[in-house]
Amino acid sequence: MPETTIRALRVTGDSGRPERDDVALTSPGEGEIRVRIEACGLNFADLLMLKGTYQDMPDLPFTLGMEVAGTVESAGPGAERFAPGTRVAVFGGHGGLAEAGIFDAARAVVLPDGMDAVDAAAFQIAYGTSHLALDHRAGLRPGETLLVLGAAGGVGLTAVEIGKRMGARVIACARGADKLEVARAAGADHLIDAETQDIREEARALGGADVVYDPVGGDQFTAALRACRPEARILAIGFASGEVPQIKANHLLVKNVSVLGLYWGGYLAFAPEVLTRSLDTLLGWYVAGEIRPHVSHVLPFDRAEEGLELLRTRQATGKVVIRIPG
């Protein structure tokens, strides 16, 4: 039987608009924990879910919000290692824009001392995606040149930061001087303005790219491909432009270029230990002060729709985080 009722931002149909609703919250079941949510990080994938086009859609109705930080209220059988009062971050996939939620304990990590809820809610997807892409998939090496498209966005900015941490020379590509300055502050060595400069020509003038990190797609993918050095690796992270590029295989052949896909959440299904190792490394870097999330907007729960609009109109840099009152 329901124990309590919470406020949540729900998707109930295909209207493309979330709705506020009161939702009954039950006790956690086998392998689950109930979390009192303090903050929820927004992601571009939330917009895709609203349109019904995300590759991993939950069944309707569902609560928006892919990643959260909060405090464990109770644990079900098999999840007792998360004692009540434990502070955690959870990649739930959905369910985050609510006052509380029940999540699979396997998707939770214990937060280190000193990590606040806003940083924690902004951490897992953005840093996890970039680290897994650059380290596990592309094998980025010190001294190589990394070209980051969408370099001021949620994942792109972490790619700049992590690429620099891994010893690469980083070329950041973003739209406008303000966004490029954010990328410079994250460690970018060179900047390309996608609004006014030719990505291909500018990157080639800098010697070309060994690794391309692309959450944008469309024409920017094509330009970056043509700026690749022999044996370059292109990471297909997402398609914020709305256009999935069509790749001509002969272009890959001539320069021995590899295109590598990366869906971070997919590793939970077939190699969760890869995610665990990556997050352990990243949290260690955070504790050591070597990485720090850039959050351009922190908004209260009542303004969550405004936060989604900031992502939709590309007004945010780094992450947008929603604080959720107890």
Side-chain angles (χ1 to χ4, degrees):
M1 296 294 291
E3 292 183 350
T4 188
T5 298
I6 58 167
R7 293 188 302 157
L9 195 62
R10 305 274 282 169
V11 179
T12 59
D14 58 4
S15 67
R17 296 187 63 85
E19 301 176 5
R20 295 185 178 276
D21 197 6
D22 292 329
V23 180
L25 185 66
T26 59
S27 298
E30 180 78 26
E32 293 179 332
I33 55 175
R34 189 167 79 184
V35 177
R36 178 59 56 176
I37 297 170
E38 299 169 25
C40 177
L42 301 185
N43 292 274
F44 187 76
D46 291 310
L47 301 179
L48 298 180
M49 285 189 182
L50 281 172
K51 295 194 297 184
T53 60
Y54 190 56
Q55 66 259 25
D56 190 12
M57 285 292 298
D59 294 333
L60 292 170
F62 66 90
T63 299
L64 277 173
M66 300 182 73
E67 59 182 331
V68 304
T71 303
V72 174
E73 289 188 321
S74 58
E80 292 88 353
R81 68 187 184 280
F82 291 101
T86 303
R87 299 183 64 250
V88 295
V90 186
F91 168 62
H94 59 93
L97 282 172
E99 292 174 313
I102 293 176
F103 302 101
D104 183 345
R107 290 172 171 252
V109 295
V110 177
L111 297 183
D113 293 341
M115 189 177 203
D116 66 25
V118 170
D119 276 1
F123 195 85
Q124 286 190 89
I125 293 176
Y127 279 113
T129 295
S130 292
H131 184 255
L132 214 59
L134 296 173
D135 182 66
H136 181 72
R137 293 291 280 149
L140 179 67
R141 297 183 290 270
E144 289 193 310
T145 296
L146 167 66
L147 172 61
V148 181
L149 306 180
V155 292
L157 196 59
T158 61
V160 171
E161 195 176 1
I162 289 173
K164 195 64 179 175
R165 171 64 177 72
M166 293 176 67
R169 182 180 70 136
V170 180
I171 304 171
C173 178
R175 293 188 179 277
D178 290 346
K179 290 185 176 181
L180 287 171
E181 186 53 41
V182 172
R184 187 197 298 277
D189 299 288
H190 303 281
L191 307 174
I192 299 175
D193 191 334
E195 287 185 338
T196 60
Q197 295 178 293
D198 186 305
I199 295 172
R200 175 196 178 193
E201 293 304 321
E202 294 294 329
R204 290 180 67 177
L206 291 167
D210 297 299
V211 175
V212 175
Y213 183 99
D214 179 19
V216 178
D219 291 342
Q220 290 196 27
F221 176 96
T222 303
L225 171 59
R226 298 176 73 182
C228 281
R229 301 182 67 192
E231 293 195 325
R233 292 87 76 199
I234 302 179
L235 291 156
I237 305 299
F239 314 106
S241 68
E243 181 182 346
V244 178
Q246 303 304 302
I247 304 166
K248 294 183 178 180
N250 62 310
H251 290 179
L252 307 181
L253 180 151
V254 171
K255 289 187 178 179
N256 296 290
V257 171
S258 300
V259 178
L260 308 169
L262 190 284
Y263 169 39
W264 181 75
Y267 278 84
L268 284 167
F270 67 90
E273 70 281 358
V274 174
L275 283 187
T276 300
R277 287 196 300 268
S278 175
L279 285 172
D280 285 346
T281 296
L282 290 165
L283 288 170
W285 289 353
Y286 178 91
V287 170
E290 296 176 3
I291 58 174
R292 191 70 55 183
H294 174 89
V295 180
S296 66
H297 295 80
V298 180
L299 300 173
F301 187 37
D302 290 342
R303 295 171 62 189
E305 293 96 325
E306 181 181 331
L308 292 167
E309 187 64 17
L310 289 169
L311 294 186
R312 184 180 291 108
T313 56
R314 295 176 171 80
Q315 296 181 60
T317 55
K319 296 286 287 190
V320 176
V321 173
I322 305 302
R323 279 196 181 275
I324 300 174

